Amino acid sequence: MKPTCISLDLDNTISYFKRRGSVILDAAVKLGIPRNTVTTTYQSVREIQGFSPKNFRSALERLGPPFDGRLFEKQITEFLESSLALYADSRTLRRTNATRSNIPIVIVTAGDTQFQKRKKELLELRVPCFVVQPHEGKIAPLQKLLARYGAPIWHVDDRVEELDKIYTSGLVPKKIETIQIVRGMMPRVSKNSPHRRIRTLASLFHE
């Protein structure tokens, strides 16, 4: 059965950073902050507020020692923005916000609202975008899409934990089909995984 709408995660589903994120952590370590503290702070910002150069800078400033926060934020922002790229199979989203048979496509992503929308702007994506805080999960925007388009909706995400939250919400399987996109090496998963798995978005866009 074809979907009424296709929902896509942003990071590592549609887009990625060409250069390793460890550069960001290395830059913070050079400020005189222990690497373990930098790593823990980075993960905390990602999971609670959603990562952005501004949020990371603010968290590090509370730790000390003093540093030029504006310069640090500027350098991290320039590094990330210059490294941001679309996967080849996502470039069609610069031209259209629907599949060949006119099924609407929407982004549902978790993170810092301003930073996620800035990435969408830099990538020149034409699709609508819902941004939620990481701790909120993606259930609420998916329910809004169900109310607008009806069932079933396909949601595509690279993170199994995000798909698991949706799967256990009670919206699956009649209303939402959860799909894991695997970029790179195929991870080990249970044979009983409830999520469909794909390696490219191209087949979905041809629906």
Side-chain angles (χ1 to χ4, degrees), residues 37-154:
T37 302
V38 168
T39 301
T40 301
T41 302
Y42 173 77
Q43 292 297 339
S44 177
V45 169
R46 282 189 62 191
E47 294 170 7
I48 298 174
Q49 300 168 271
F51 179 83
S52 74
K54 182 178 180 180
N55 291 343
F56 192 40
R57 165 197 168 181
S58 296
L60 293 176
E61 284 178 329
R62 291 192 290 269
L63 298 173
F67 63 94
D68 188 335
R70 289 185 179 181
L71 178 60
F72 178 78
E73 182 181 338
K74 180 176 182 289
Q75 291 173 336
I76 296 302
T77 299
E78 290 175 351
F79 166 77
L80 290 173
E81 291 188 355
S82 66
S83 181
L84 184 65
L86 277 177
Y87 287 106
D89 58 13
S90 302
R91 291 172 187 162
T92 185
L93 300 178
R94 286 177 167 165
R95 302 188 303 273
T96 182
N97 59 3
T99 68
R100 285 189 175 181
S101 55
N102 210 34
I103 297 169
I105 300 170
V106 177
I107 294 172
V108 176
T109 179
D112 176 81
T113 300
Q114 290 185 341
F115 190 51
Q116 294 301 90
K117 288 186 175 181
R118 174 60 176 162
K119 284 190 278 187
K120 175 181 177 287
E121 177 186 340
L122 290 169
L123 293 167
E124 301 177 336
L125 301 175
R126 295 188 59 186
V127 293
C129 181
F130 291 87
V131 183
V132 297
Q133 295 293 302
H135 65 275
E136 293 176 336
K138 299 178 179 177
I139 303 301
L142 289 174
Q143 288 176 323
K144 289 180 180 179
L145 293 176
L146 283 169
R148 179 172 182 178
Y149 297 109
I153 286 175
W154 291 355

